[in-house]
Amino acid sequence: TADGDIDNTASVVSTEITTPQTSTTETPITQAASYVIAKTVTAVDAAGNSVIDTAGEIIAYQITVNNNGNQTINGVVVTDAMLTDLARGSDNTGDDDNLLEVGETWVYTGTYTVLQSDIDNNGGGDGDIDNTASVVSTEITAAQESSVDTPITQDASYVISKTVTAV
């Protein structure tokens, strides 16, 4: 009844005592909303050498959110600023009811297209493309995050050619 406990009342009557005698007990409920977010790279540079070394290469990501608490979670929102095509697939229970139920896992996918600036600045100077996803919900308003880094290989190279044009 939304008062934080389970109320249970028993009553007894008999032939001799027709006025019911009752006893009530309240058992507290502890709600523990909890989930885990995990982000992984599922494919790098599907067109070639599995190394990020050219603008236009695509990194594919998977983000999972698993309810490891003891209550259903509402209003789950997963965001990832780098993935413009972030999409949620079916959940592991197949009910797709937009409620992250206890034990349920939602799987999201998305891609990032490597920019020339990513390679030129060596991933912001640390040698990889850093990508973070976050999740919030009605019950858990503090964002939880998961990050993954994809290494960049810089290969500065040029060719010089000298020819005689006149003698």
Side-chain angles (χ1 to χ4, degrees):
T1 58
D3 64 353
D5 55 44
I6 296 173
D7 301 320
N8 190 346
T9 301
S11 62
V12 62
V13 294
S14 68
T15 306
E16 292 78 25
I17 305 172
T18 58
T19 304
Q21 301 287 317
T22 62
S23 178
T24 302
T25 185
E26 295 177 350
T27 305
I29 297 173
T30 301
Q31 292 181 315
S34 177
Y35 43 58
V36 176
I37 183 171
K39 182 173 189 165
T40 57
V41 173
T42 58
V44 176
D45 182 27
N49 62 4
S50 297
V51 174
I52 297 300
D53 59 1
T54 306
E57 292 178 318
I58 297 173
I59 305 169
Y61 296 95
Q62 178 176 289
I63 303 161
T64 59
V65 179
N66 173 263
N67 182 341
N68 63 345
N70 72 353
Q71 75 179 93
T72 298
I73 300 174
N74 300 282
V76 176
V77 177
V78 173
T79 56
D80 186 318
M82 289 181 67
L83 308 185
T84 58
D85 61 348
L86 182 63
R88 184 182 133 204
S90 292
D91 58 58
N92 66 323
T93 63
D95 65 8
D96 293 323
D97 61 1
N98 289 321
L99 299 173
L100 186 59
E101 291 139 348
V102 175
E104 191 169 59
T105 300
W106 290 357
V107 178
Y108 296 77
T109 57
T111 59
Y112 175 72
T113 303
V114 176
L115 304 173
Q116 185 61 50
S117 59
D118 294 325
I119 296 169
D120 289 346
N121 70 20
N122 199 24
D126 64 354
D128 51 47
I129 295 174
D130 305 315
N131 194 340
T132 301
S134 64
V135 61
V136 295
S137 68
T138 303
E139 290 78 14
I140 306 170
T141 57
Q144 291 186 24
E145 297 181 336
S146 180
S147 298
V148 66
D149 302 333
T150 306
I152 295 174
T153 300
Q154 287 183 315
D155 185 18
S157 176
Y158 53 79
V159 175
I160 184 170
S161 177
K162 182 176 181 177
T163 59
V164 175
T165 57
V167 176

